[in-house]
Amino acid sequence: MAKLRKHTSSTPFVRVAPSGVHGLGAFATCALPAFALLGLYEGRRYSQHEIASRAWDDQLTYLFTLSNHETIDGAKGGNGTRHLNHACDPNCEAVEEYDDAGRLLLKFQTIVPVDAGDELFIDYCLTADDGSPPTDYPCRCGSSNCRGTMLAPVEAT
């Protein structure tokens, strides 16, 4: 049986430091072009059942749910990418792809050029499974396009 290689990613282009938006943030260590790889989102993986059976309460979490319904907890074995804060006008994005062994990976990349020292942001596009209002997920990004919430934009019907 072939041994599956453990995927680890370094994050040499990411420095974690205090953020003016929220807590700690991820900052570019050098100028980066659009589509530069920042690193893989790593951590303990949970199934849908495991996530549902845990009491997360109001604790700070670094959970990222993938399209295959697995959830990665960046607080458990994660790296600097877990500190990408939310912005309604992000300069980075999360991209899923499968590795050679068929495992779904999550990577972060820039979507525009960024300067050294810039804070790196993604749009969280959260969903409120419990029907709570957008005001329960306030956004502090300060962007001119700010939705006022970290919830996903409401799609026009």
Side-chain angles (χ1 to χ4, degrees), residues 100-118:
D100 293 339
R103 185 173 192 196
L104 188 58
L105 304 176
L106 181 69
K107 67 180 186 177
F108 289 107
Q109 65 185 26
T110 59
I111 54 176
V112 295
V114 295
D115 292 330
D118 283 356

Side-chain angles (χ1 to χ4, degrees), residues 67-118:
S67 62
N68 67 357
H69 306 292
E70 278 187 306
T71 298
I72 301 173
D73 183 358
K76 309 278 186 204
N79 56 30
T81 61
R82 73 180 180 201
H83 295 289
L84 273 86
N85 280 319
H86 165 84
C88 296
D89 193 16
N91 54 11
C92 299
E93 68 181 351
V95 177
E96 292 181 343
E97 64 181 40
Y98 287 92
D99 67 8
D100 293 339
R103 185 173 192 196
L104 188 58
L105 304 176
L106 181 69
K107 67 180 186 177
F108 289 107
Q109 65 185 26
T110 59
I111 54 176
V112 295
V114 295
D115 292 330
D118 283 356

Side-chain angles (χ1 to χ4, degrees), residues 8-16 26-32 36-40 42 79-81 108 116-117 120:
T8 58
S9 70
S10 63
T11 55
F13 303 128
V14 176
R15 174 181 56 85
V16 176
F27 296 81
T29 60
C30 60
L32 296 168
L37 176 64
L38 299 172
L40 297 178
E42 297 179 324
N79 56 30
T81 61
F108 289 107
L120 303 167

